[in-house]
Amino acid sequence: MPNRRVGVYIDGFNLYYGGRGLCGKGTAGWRWLDVRALAARLVAGHSTWTGTTIERVVYCTAVISGADNPVGNREQDAYLRALRRTHATDHIELGNYVHRVARAPLATPDRNGRPVIAHPGGPLMVKNGAGQDEPTAVFMVSTARREEKGSDVNVAAHLLLDVLEQRIDAAVVISNDSDLKFPVQTARARVPVGTVNPTRSLTAGKLRGSPTDGVGNHWWYQLTAADLHACQLPDPAAGVRKPTPW
């Protein structure tokens, strides 16, 4: 197919935290990411698609609160301005943060990151009203949580709108969020889809599939630190300076 138009749909926080896991927290040289260049690198290096044009790059994120995290807010603002001014994205869709109090059992992670519920033991024991130990008791804790909301929904909505309105001939989704199972499967029935896992974890089972599903010619890839380091914006980027720690 000549001039295959490719749409790229990015969960910004999934990509950010994935990159931090790949490159190291506090490590410089990967956050000033040119997402259009990254998309072109991935399509050229890992798909069998020919005659491609990166037609549309949609970046979905949420604005970091200036009250809660003023440094993060300033750094993110600089990055979003750089993306817009350099036309590294065609559209930035903003979700939001919500603040909640969550009540849950106290737990520690196992070697795979799954929760192991903590019970009384050692120097910290719980006794019932009769003065007997309760070794199976569960400690319940309340924690303040700040959750980013909307990015997965926005990725799904833009992907499906562009597919169904025939704005694109192929799609790349950069996320390892299993909640995207339905929109990604729906897209695969209509256009070839590249699914890019930006994290160190295994690709979510719900995002896996066969290259021959639907219309076929799909592919999967797990991002590397080298991909991020190779696709950096200039500094300054259209007049926007890269934050010093980046």
Side-chain angles (χ1 to χ4, degrees):
M1 176 184 293
N3 193 27
R4 185 193 298 266
R5 302 166 300 167
V6 179
V8 183
Y9 307 88
I10 302 166
D11 182 332
F13 276 92
N14 204 262
L15 175 57
Y16 172 79
Y17 284 107
R20 194 171 77 172
L22 292 169
C23 300
K25 184 178 180 180
T27 303
W30 64 271
R31 283 176 280 182
W32 199 237
L33 185 63
D34 184 336
V35 289
R36 186 179 296 275
L38 177 65
R41 174 185 173 95
L42 296 175
V43 170
H46 304 287
S47 79
T48 58
W49 305 340
T50 58
T52 57
T53 300
I54 305 300
E55 179 76 12
R56 185 163 166 78
V57 178
V58 178
Y59 185 84
C60 301
T61 189
V63 175
I64 296 171
S65 168
D68 295 337
N69 184 356
V71 174
N73 174 269
R74 288 194 299 270
E75 292 179 351
Q76 183 194 45
D77 178 69
Y79 181 55
L80 296 181
R81 283 189 289 118
L83 290 180
R84 291 186 177 104
R85 290 189 185 182
T86 60
H87 306 290
T89 58
D90 296 286
H91 183 80
I92 297 175
E93 190 72 47
L94 297 177
N96 63 287
Y97 277 101
V98 295
H99 296 264
R100 291 179 176 156
V101 174
R103 185 173 173 82
L106 183 67
T108 57
D110 68 10
R111 61 188 299 174
N112 296 313
R114 294 172 297 205
V116 177
I117 303 301
H119 296 285
L124 182 61
M125 294 299 299
V126 174
K127 293 185 180 293
N128 60 24
Q132 298 171 322
D133 289 342
E134 288 285 357
T136 61
V138 174
F139 300 105
M140 298 298 295
V141 296
S142 293
T143 60
R145 295 187 60 184
R146 186 167 56 102
E147 298 179 4
E148 180 266 334
K149 304 289 288 184
S151 289
D152 54 352
V153 174
N154 290 333
V155 166
H158 280 282
L159 168 66
L160 292 181
L161 278 172
D162 288 350
V163 169
L164 296 175
E165 294 182 359
Q166 299 182 350
R167 296 175 185 166
I168 60 172
D169 307 303
V172 175
V173 176
I174 302 179
S175 177
N176 198 37
D177 189 338
S178 60
D179 288 344
L180 293 173
K181 174 185 176 180
F182 175 76
V184 168
Q185 287 184 343
T186 300
R188 287 177 188 152
R190 293 163 173 81
V191 298
V193 178
T195 307
V196 178
N197 175 4
T199 77
R200 296 174 62 185
S201 303
L202 295 174
T203 297
K206 293 182 178 179
L207 296 181
R208 299 175 193 170
S210 166
T212 59
D213 289 342
V215 299
N217 209 7
H218 313 300
W219 51 275
W220 287 257
Y221 179 68
Q222 189 153 17
L223 211 61
T224 69
D227 294 316
L228 301 177
H229 287 293
C231 299
Q232 296 293 295
L233 292 165
D235 183 25
V240 182
R241 298 292 312 198
K242 179 171 70 172
T244 302
W246 288 29

